[in-house]
Amino acid sequence: MEVIIQPNPEAASRLGARYIARLLREKPHAVLGLATGSTPLKLYAELIRLHREEGLDFSRATTFNLDEYLDLPRDHAATYRRFMEENLFRHVNLRPERTFIPQSDLPGEKVAAYCEAYEEEIRRAGGIDLQILGIGGDGHIGFNEPSSSLASRTRIKTLTARTRSDNAPFFASPAEVPHHVITMGIGTILEAREVLLFAFGAGKADAIAASIEGPLTSFVPASSLQLHRRARFLLDEAAAAKLTRQDYYRWVFDQKPLWQNP
Ligand code: F6R
């Protein structure tokens, strides 16, 4: 694991965007795994800037989003499809038919087969080259809440009360937050060739310390990344504040050979 501590979310997002841009330049038909939430907003803004000002090309790329609410009409303002349209898709040259996000208005009896088909679609695209992740205050990745199987695949999950209340600001009232979601599993995420997890703010410091320096446990889903061969954590100072080996991570980053930098 590589732990990269930057002075603020802007700097961490700019660096993250450079990793993604490098991948797209080396492999224009790359498959990106995308996240929603407040954390990747600055990253997406920087990717849009790179597209507009430096010609970063998404035209041959494919994207798969981690998750989506269930029991929401497709045109609801809080769907992750809408979030992605507004914050990335409509501003870059991704082909709409190459942007995959689980469907929010599936009837219950179709969910299991749909989730298998989503996994199959990822395989058909050649697997995810780079997965972007945020992290919940309880250590969740995607919507894999604590105690999710480390081998889990795309499936329906029930949100915890904490995640529902964290996400309530995006809905007209807390009661409107759906109880159920579709999410890629931890096993699905671990198959991505490369992972970039972003975490900003003091509210993420406990989850980050537990994920990086704590034991591997399904109680902290992001600790599963300890098993990944190419996982990078891009943190601001506040999210890194409870790591005991901060000096070491900074030292390693400062010593990196130039050719390893994006
Ligand atoms: C979103 C997702 C979630 C978020 C996490 C953090 O697609 O998968 O795991 O990354 O809940 O959310 P924010 O970034 O809003 O703090």
Side-chain angles (χ1 to χ4, degrees):
M1 281 194 307
E2 197 177 345
V3 181
I4 303 175
I5 304 169
Q6 294 287 288
N8 50 49
E10 289 76 12
S13 302
R14 276 197 302 273
L15 180 58
R18 293 218 303 272
Y19 284 111
I20 296 164
R22 178 172 72 182
L23 171 67
L24 283 170
R25 288 183 178 123
E26 287 171 1
K27 186 176 180 185
H29 59 283
V31 179
L32 302 175
L34 302 178
T36 56
S38 52
T39 306
L41 286 172
K42 291 188 168 69
L43 171 73
Y44 294 154
E46 177 64 5
L47 288 175
I48 294 165
R49 191 193 69 74
L50 289 174
H51 170 68
R52 286 187 181 148
E53 296 177 14
E54 297 181 21
L56 182 63
D57 182 21
F58 292 83
S59 64
R60 281 180 279 170
T62 299
T63 66
F64 286 91
N65 265 76
L66 282 167
D67 42 20
E68 178 60 284
Y69 293 109
L70 275 173
D71 306 320
L72 276 191
R74 274 184 212 203
D75 57 355
H76 193 286
T79 63
Y80 285 168
R81 167 62 71 180
R82 174 79 76 90
F83 175 98
M84 291 309 306
E85 294 292 348
E86 282 172 7
N87 293 297
L88 182 66
F89 294 167
R90 73 165 63 139
H91 308 286
V92 296
N93 62 339
L94 276 161
R95 280 162 52 207
E97 67 278 17
R98 299 307 300 161
T99 62
F100 295 91
I101 302 183
Q103 200 177 312
S104 63
D105 58 353
L106 280 174
E109 70 278 8
K110 296 213 166 143
V111 170
Y114 181 88
C115 291
E116 279 197 28
Y118 199 72
E119 293 265 338
E120 181 53 33
E121 200 73 60
I122 295 173
R123 277 192 289 276
R124 243 203 320 263
I128 292 173
D129 289 299
L130 186 151
Q131 177 67 54
I132 295 162
L133 295 176
I135 183 171
D138 59 3
H140 72 239
I141 48 176
F143 272 135
N144 296 285
E145 298 281 25
S147 83
S148 290
S149 159
L150 299 182
S152 51
R153 312 299 309 191
T154 302
R155 69 211 182 290
I156 184 171
K157 281 294 284 180
T158 305
L159 295 180
T160 60
R162 178 174 176 181
T163 302
R164 285 188 72 239
S165 109
D166 284 350
N167 293 2
F170 301 99
F171 291 82
S173 75
E176 239 195 71
V177 184
H179 286 270
H180 296 113
V181 294
I182 289 180
T183 181
M184 283 185 202
I186 295 175
T188 321
I189 292 168
L190 290 179
E191 279 175 12
R193 293 182 187 96
E194 190 175 346
V195 173
L196 289 184
L197 185 147
F198 296 82
F200 307 137
K204 303 291 170 73
D206 285 319
I208 284 298
S211 303
I212 295 172
E213 296 182 342
L216 171 65
T217 166
S218 66
F219 268 57
V220 182
S223 69
S224 62
L225 297 173
Q226 293 174 20
L227 291 172
H228 198 282
R229 293 201 311 176
R230 289 183 77 193
R232 286 195 181 89
F233 285 74
L234 283 155
L235 312 174
D236 69 354
E237 298 280 355
K242 294 195 175 170
L243 290 167
T244 61
R245 307 193 73 199
Q246 284 177 55
D247 290 347
Y248 171 69
Y249 307 133
R250 288 182 212 277
W251 185 83
V252 170
F253 188 65
D254 290 344
Q255 305 307 311
K256 264 167 100 71
L258 280 179
W259 56 266
Q260 279 191 349
N261 291 325

